[in-house]
């Protein structure tokens, strides 16, 4: 009988993600301190917002004195993808309790979502407890690393000259490479290329008439729909129509 992966297995699986969070979290702490945030403000942002890219965006917009309403709306659009990712998790773990679902959705990140999808694609017997372990490990690492970065941030008065503010971009590139590698191995190449090119085209066209954040959301929705339709076996589609 195959083993079901539990909470501790999830925490162990999250170690690679956590190692990435150490550098990115420290980078956020350093950049935030350089923008005039205090140590306790950095800690509160990581504990209560826990938004990764949203936190970088927030401090950048506050630095130019953007209205609170615009900052709030921007972060909402940037992180709306988490709603879509949480919906995907409900399909992978359909029998979890409401409390478990709320906890999973609250702490899910792009990296933990990517890890979940990769493991699910390889038919690893993951459970909702496993996913909670991944999320909790990532969450605690992010909080501690941002606080540590803020604590030593005063030693680096100009972090941009070292490229520290691009740490998050670098991690997203790494996650994209891993995801594409999994897609190529587990999906038809025509599906992968169609989703990639259609998403990029939609993003470009929508970006002409709206903001980049809205364009990302619309392109993601349509790209995911195209991928879902193309990945569904013809027999299944016929059955659903009947």
């Amino acid at each position: 009988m195959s083993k079901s992966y539990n909470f501790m297995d999830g925490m162990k699986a999250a170690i690679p993600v956590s190692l990435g969070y150490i550098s990115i979290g420290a980078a956020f702490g350093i950049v935030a301190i350089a923008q005039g945030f205090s140590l306790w403000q950095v800690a509160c942002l990581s504990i209560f917002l826990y938004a990764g890219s949203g936190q970088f965006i927030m401090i950048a917009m506050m630095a130019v004195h953007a209205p609170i309403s615009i900052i709030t709306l921007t972060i909402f659009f940037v992180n709306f993808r988490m709603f879509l990712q949480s919906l995907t998790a409900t399909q992978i773990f359909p029998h979890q309790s409401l409390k478990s679902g709320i906890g999973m959705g609250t702490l899910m990140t792009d990296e933990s979502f990517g890890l979940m999808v990769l493991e699910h694609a390889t038919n690893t017997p993951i459970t909702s407890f496993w996913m909670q372990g991944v999320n909790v490990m990532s969450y605690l690492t992010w909080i501690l690393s941002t606080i540590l970065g803020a604590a030593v941030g005063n030693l680096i008065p100009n972090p941009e000259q070292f490229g520290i503010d691009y740490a998050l971009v670098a991690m997203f590139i790494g996650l994209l490479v891993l995801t594409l590698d999994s897609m190529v191995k587990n999906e038809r190449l025509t599906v992968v290329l169609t989703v990639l090119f259609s998403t990029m085209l939609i993003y470009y066209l929508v970006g002409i008439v709206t903001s980049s954040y809205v364009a990302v959301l619309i392109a993601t929705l349509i790209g995911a729909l195209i991928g879902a339709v193309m990945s569904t076996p013809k027999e299944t589609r016929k059955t659903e129509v009947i």
Side-chain angles (χ1 to χ4, degrees), residues 48-232:
F48 299 110
L49 182 57
Y50 186 47
S53 58
Q55 291 180 219
F56 278 93
I57 292 171
M58 181 177 180
I59 62 173
M61 295 185 72
M62 291 187 71
V64 296
H65 306 291
I68 296 299
S69 59
I70 299 299
I71 295 175
T72 302
L73 188 61
T74 300
I75 294 177
F76 172 78
F77 278 121
V78 168
N79 290 287
F80 187 78
R81 68 190 186 280
M82 309 312 304
F83 174 74
L84 304 176
Q85 293 177 1
S86 297
L87 285 178
T88 302
T90 63
Q91 302 302 310
I92 296 178
F93 309 111
H95 303 299
Q96 65 178 323
S97 65
L98 177 61
K99 183 187 298 185
S100 174
I102 292 174
M104 185 180 298
T106 301
L107 296 183
M108 184 173 291
T109 64
D110 293 300
E111 293 75 24
S112 64
F113 174 79
L115 184 60
M116 177 189 69
V117 171
L118 288 172
E119 294 294 342
H120 180 67
T122 56
N123 296 318
T124 303
I126 56 177
T127 63
S128 59
F129 294 106
W130 176 89
M131 191 61 195
Q132 302 290 5
V134 171
N135 286 340
V136 169
M137 182 69 170
S138 304
Y139 178 57
L140 294 178
T141 303
W142 176 259
I143 294 172
L144 293 175
S145 59
T146 55
I147 292 175
L148 177 62
V152 301
N154 290 325
L155 302 177
I156 308 177
N158 187 17
E160 288 81 6
Q161 67 179 337
F162 300 104
I164 293 177
D165 51 331
Y166 283 95
L168 188 66
V169 177
M171 186 168 185
F172 274 125
I173 292 174
L175 183 63
L176 175 63
V177 171
L178 291 175
T179 303
L180 288 176
D181 180 66
S182 176
M183 289 173 64
V184 171
K185 290 179 179 177
N186 297 280
E187 191 56 79
R188 300 191 310 276
L189 183 60
T190 53
V191 175
V192 176
L193 293 178
T194 300
V195 171
L196 286 176
F197 285 114
S198 61
T199 302
M200 288 189 292
L201 179 61
I202 293 167
Y203 171 77
Y204 174 76
L205 294 176
V206 176
I208 296 176
V209 296
T210 187
S211 69
S212 60
Y213 305 123
V214 176
V216 167
L217 177 59
I218 295 175
T220 299
L221 285 170
I222 299 177
L225 179 61
I226 293 173
V229 172
M230 294 186 67
S231 298
T232 302

Side-chain angles (χ1 to χ4, degrees), residues 224-242:
L225 179 61
I226 293 173
V229 172
M230 294 186 67
S231 298
T232 302
K234 293 182 179 180
E235 294 78 6
T236 302
R237 275 184 250 169
K238 291 179 180 179
T239 302
E240 291 175 349
V241 171
I242 295 173

